[in-house]
Amino acid sequence: MEIFLVYLKVFAVGGALCALGQLLINKTKMSSARILVSFMLLGVLLEITGAFDYIREFANAGVTVPITGFGSTLAKGALEGAKEDGLFGAVTGGLKAASAGLASVIFFGFVFALIFRSRSKKI
Amino acid sequence: MKKGRQSFILDRPVYFRSSCTIVGPKESEGNYGGLFDMVLRDDRWGEKSYEKAESKMHRKAVEGALAKSGLSAEDIDFILAGDLLNEISASNLAMRHFKVPFLGLYNACSTFTEAVLLGSLLIEAGAAGAVCCSTSSHFASAERQYRYPLELGNQRTPTSQWTVTGAGASVLTATRPTMAEREAGEEKFAEYLGETAAEERENCGKLKKLAKNCAGKYRPDYAVSWRRGEGGRKCAVRVVGGTFGRVVDLGIDDESNMGGAMAPAAADTLLAHFEDTGATASDYDAIYTGDLGRFGKQALEYLLSTQDVDLGDRYHDCGAGFYTPEQQTFQGGSGAGCVNVTFNADILRRMERGELKRVLVLATGALLNKDTPLQKETIPGISHAFVVEAEEIAEEE
Amino acid sequence: MIAKDAYKRYVEENSPKSPMWRSMIAAFVVGGLICMAGQGVHDGIAAIFPQMAEEEVGAWTTVVMILFGAFFTAVGVYDKLGHFAGGGSIIPITGFANSVVSPAMEYNREGIFFGICAKMFVIAGPIIVLGIVASVLVGIIGLFL
């Protein structure tokens, strides 16, 4: 039962974030890159204010799977780096924490682009 | 002869001798499906890229129109061609295959009417006896150049249009084609289709893996049905004049709302045409705009209503009517191929059958590239118009 | 003819709009489902490797979700999902993967160097650049906290 509740919260919060994004698309005609950037910066903001941890405790993947999670990882890494290694950590920390995501997206992008090609659409 | 500010009337008539159209699979399921000379089952046509496929379509359309005209490449004095790709590369690359002087044109989606106007003026001036006018556009190559990668999962806005995958070519001559010449042309075209089909089969054999993709499906139905005499032709279509458009910009900056951006240009050219020639809307059996789309059509009607001009039921838009609503294209078709294949496959043939006598075709183009909206430029539009008339051919000719 | 601003107003008022509720519900449902899939991946990894630290599980979840996004882009499913769901498939990390893989695939005809590698970030570039700039700024602020 408890696990059911966890997934329900994930669904609700994740869905709400995406619906908010759709609202922005409908209202402002933002392109997908702009939407992604604004939500990532939202994640950074939530992380430095400390709100992100509370939301994550409540919604788990509902807030880490959206691109807000990527922003929070970057900000969290930078803050931790600054605490541990001073200026050097402040500069490298964010990228270090986000390296798993960045490395995998570049690697998979390269490999799939070698194998597949884009197709024309009918709708 | 110059007429008014922007218009001219030809002193000697220039005739549409033949035309050829090629479209992709989605287009063949649209409202004009079944009217095109060739239909591709796969819009990459066995090529490595969509740009190459577009260039191949362009070349085949010109070859097809030449075959149907019964003329050889030596008889054609100029080819006037254009498309939407960077530096009109689809036309440029296609023209390598013709030993004919080539004039490259670009006026976005209104390139076809521009080519016909210039071609008929060249013929009238005696600089040419026969010219070929062709344009092409391709959904996949236009999408990548003007918008986003095909596989990007974003939504198209409700004001957007669908670039028509299509190429078309028309041969214009100073002399009126006789029925016998037309019959001979259709024979030659059937022969050409056979050759192309054989060539395709050979290519498929070489690349067995691509066989499924590259067998273009040919439907020369029209030629067949015409030879049986069903709804046969009785008219020749001639260009009688036209109006060159000015660049008009009413400050629309939404690159996904081309109809709104181009409608003022269409209104400007149309009003100039009426003023220069003294004609009114009721002088035409039909008035076609190029690819304003459903909203653009509405915007043009609104703009004209502020000037007390009412086009009525005779007004159609090639783009708005191109696809069926079920095909989910929002505003309809667009692209340099849109007005071209609609004119060559539908309007021209209805005129040849005598259903329409006098038609005004007003193609519109949005003059932007990928960078101008980023530099905060608004989108200017342009529109060129030509007038065509059907002229009955007596039986004995 | 008509004045510029009058025409602009006409276009703004009369051009067709996105169906607000339908698109938002589609975004909500699809986005929610993708997040649930992410939670499932997370819980699965945590169950298989019970000793793994929470942060590492999170990182692996990101990698797996990116793999999913990249794969469904490559086989031509993600663009259809995006056509239906809009924001629902853009905002999850799978949408980020889609925005990297789709241009890479689109430009692979121009070769590996100036096609795939150079064009890979035409859409995702701003996300990565602004993300890194923001993280450095946050780190420097962190020095004074």
Side-chain angles (χ1 to χ4, degrees):
Chain A
M1 196 58 223
E2 200 174 313
I3 190 140
F4 200 75
L5 199 65
V6 169
Y7 276 85
L8 191 68
K9 284 190 228 163
V10 168
F11 180 78
V13 174
L17 274 174
C18 294
L20 183 66
Q22 183 65 39
L23 184 73
L24 279 176
I25 294 174
N26 289 350
K27 284 276 176 212
T28 64
K29 294 196 169 134
M30 276 192 191
S31 64
S32 60
R34 277 180 201 279
I35 293 285
L36 280 167
V37 167
S38 9
F39 274 77
M40 183 202 63
L41 292 178
L42 178 73
V44 171
L45 212 64
L46 288 175
E47 182 63 42
I48 44 179
T49 54
F52 197 85
D53 281 338
Y54 292 106
I55 306 174
R56 179 163 51 203
E57 215 142 282
F58 176 76
N60 293 299
V63 70
T64 55
V65 167
I67 194 84
T68 44
F70 185 69
S72 124
T73 310
L74 281 165
K76 198 175 178 184
L79 287 175
E80 277 171 8
K83 211 175 280 170
E84 284 160 19
D85 299 325
L87 185 60
F88 183 72
V91 174
T92 59
L95 207 48
K96 213 165 155 186
S99 59
L102 279 180
S104 57
V105 87
I106 291 172
F107 179 74
F108 292 137
F110 185 77
V111 170
F112 284 128
L114 286 181
I115 304 169
F116 294 92
R117 58 162 92 224
S118 47
R119 296 160 192 76
S120 191
K121 303 187 194 196
K122 285 193 97 179
I123 53 153
Chain B
M1 185 180 72
K2 190 178 170 188
K3 194 103 174 153
R5 175 79 182 84
Q6 297 161 245
S7 307
F8 67 89
I9 302 241
L10 292 179
D11 296 323
R12 290 192 295 160
V14 172
Y15 292 92
F16 276 91
R17 182 162 176 129
S18 67
S19 68
C20 178
T21 52
I22 307 180
V23 296
K26 182 170 171 130
E27 288 66 26
S28 71
E29 292 159 14
N31 284 329
Y32 298 113
L35 295 176
F36 304 111
D37 294 312
M38 298 186 208
V39 172
L40 307 180
R41 202 188 305 153
D42 177 80
D43 59 0
R44 210 168 65 234
W45 208 349
E47 294 289 329
K48 284 208 169 96
S49 72
Y50 293 109
E51 286 76 10
K52 283 182 197 288
E54 181 178 342
S55 187
K56 186 173 174 181
M57 284 167 69
H58 202 123
R59 169 162 70 98
K60 294 284 181 185
V62 174
E63 284 176 0
L66 291 191
K68 252 199 226 177
S69 71
L71 302 172
S72 68
E74 279 83 65
D75 301 324
I76 305 291
D77 295 305
F78 298 102
I79 297 181
L80 296 95
D83 58 85
L84 301 180
L85 297 183
N86 283 331
E87 285 81 36
I88 57 168
S89 61
S91 316
N92 293 341
L93 299 182
M95 292 312 144
R96 290 181 298 195
H97 300 272
F98 302 98
K99 298 273 171 286
V100 178
F102 162 55
L103 305 174
L105 304 176
Y106 181 83
N107 256 179
C109 310
S110 66
T111 308
F112 178 65
T113 47
E114 185 191 12
V116 169
L117 288 173
L118 291 174
S120 25
L121 285 173
L122 282 171
I123 291 175
E124 194 211 17
V131 301
C132 179
C133 306
S134 62
T135 58
S136 64
S137 59
H138 194 300
F139 170 74
S141 62
E143 201 65 10
R144 134 174 164 154
Q145 180 176 315
Y146 290 101
R147 293 173 201 104
Y148 299 105
L150 290 167
E151 301 291 349
L152 185 71
N154 62 344
Q155 273 174 330
R156 298 185 316 116
T157 61
T159 49
S160 63
Q161 287 169 280
W162 190 280
T163 306
V164 168
T165 301
S170 313
V171 173
L172 304 179
T173 53
T175 52
R176 189 167 77 180
T178 63
M179 280 300 177
E181 276 171 343
R182 295 202 147 164
E183 299 265 6
E186 294 292 344
E187 293 288 348
K188 210 174 156 197
F189 182 62
E191 214 171 278
Y192 168 73
L193 286 181
E195 279 166 28
T196 312
E199 188 187 307
E200 287 302 305
R201 270 196 300 278
E202 195 183 321
N203 289 344
C204 286
K206 279 184 206 147
L207 299 157
K208 276 230 161 74
K209 254 170 60 187
L210 286 170
K212 201 177 79 197
N213 301 334
C214 70
K217 189 174 155 200
Y218 302 109
R219 304 208 303 199
D221 325 26
Y222 182 74
V224 176
S225 68
W226 177 60
R227 240 183 261 133
R228 277 197 222 111
E230 288 166 7
R233 298 185 220 200
K234 50 180 189 178
C235 297
V237 177
R238 63 162 201 247
V239 185
V240 292
T243 303
F244 286 104
R246 294 179 286 208
V247 175
V248 179
D249 188 343
L250 282 192
I252 301 299
D253 53 5
D254 180 2
E255 70 261 35
S256 62
N257 190 353
M258 305 276 219
M262 295 187 293
D268 186 73
T269 303
L270 196 61
L271 293 171
H273 178 78
F274 287 159
E275 196 184 315
D276 290 348
T277 60
T280 58
S282 53
D283 291 335
Y284 298 98
D285 293 330
I287 296 173
Y288 280 87
T289 48
D291 52 358
L292 293 178
R294 296 184 183 99
F295 171 69
K297 182 170 185 260
Q298 185 193 327
L300 175 61
E301 281 165 337
Y302 167 75
L303 286 170
L304 291 176
S305 74
T306 62
Q307 307 289 315
D308 294 321
V309 176
D310 182 21
L311 301 182
D313 288 342
R314 67 176 67 77
Y315 170 46
H316 309 276
D317 183 68
C318 300
F322 202 85
Y323 297 102
T324 63
E326 293 75 41
Q327 288 180 300
Q328 296 189 27
T329 55
F330 296 110
Q331 296 303 311
S334 70
C338 178
V339 65
N340 185 338
V341 296
T342 312
F343 178 77
N344 283 323
D346 183 48
I347 304 172
L348 193 59
R349 282 170 188 182
R350 276 164 52 201
M351 295 184 76
E352 283 173 348
R353 288 199 299 268
E355 290 164 26
L356 298 170
K357 280 271 172 260
R358 193 174 156 86
V359 175
L360 178 68
V361 180
L362 195 74
T364 48
L367 302 174
L368 80 168
N369 65 23
K370 181 116 183 157
D371 297 328
T372 49
L374 296 178
Q375 294 175 6
K376 305 280 179 254
E377 287 283 358
T378 53
I379 304 170
I382 189 151
S383 174
H384 301 297
F386 65 69
V387 181
V388 277
E389 264 179 14
E391 180 179 291
E392 230 161 285
I393 307 177
E395 275 304 318
E396 58 271 19
E397 270 189 60
Chain C
M1 226 171 6
I2 189 171
K4 258 189 184 185
D5 39 343
Y7 183 65
K8 262 185 118 164
R9 215 175 316 120
Y10 169 81
V11 169
E12 259 158 45
E13 280 165 12
N14 289 280
S15 47
K17 311 278 183 299
S18 305
M20 188 58 93
W21 287 108
R22 197 210 65 84
S23 64
M24 278 178 68
I25 290 169
F28 183 85
V29 172
V30 173
L33 287 176
I34 293 175
C35 292
M36 272 168 75
Q39 184 69 25
V41 169
H42 179 276
D43 291 355
I45 292 171
I48 299 168
F49 306 100
Q51 292 91 12
M52 202 182 269
E54 169 60 29
E55 292 213 338
E56 210 176 320
V57 176
W60 275 111
T61 308
T62 306
V63 172
V64 172
M65 290 309 282
I66 285 174
L67 174 62
F68 282 161
F71 178 74
F72 285 118
T73 302
V75 296
V77 174
Y78 211 89
D79 62 320
K80 294 190 181 69
L81 184 70
H83 177 73
F84 171 73
S89 60
I90 292 172
I91 290 167
I93 193 87
T94 47
F96 175 60
N98 172 255
S99 70
V100 174
V101 179
S102 60
M105 278 167 67
E106 184 70 42
Y107 290 95
N108 62 7
R109 273 97 63 182
E110 278 74 34
I112 291 176
F113 253 62
F114 296 107
I116 298 177
C117 298
K119 294 286 171 69
M120 187 180 267
F121 299 111
V122 286
I123 294 163
I127 304 156
I128 295 171
V129 172
L130 291 174
I132 289 173
V133 169
S135 92
V136 171
L137 290 178
V138 168
I140 289 170
I141 294 167
L143 288 175
F144 302 101
L145 289 179

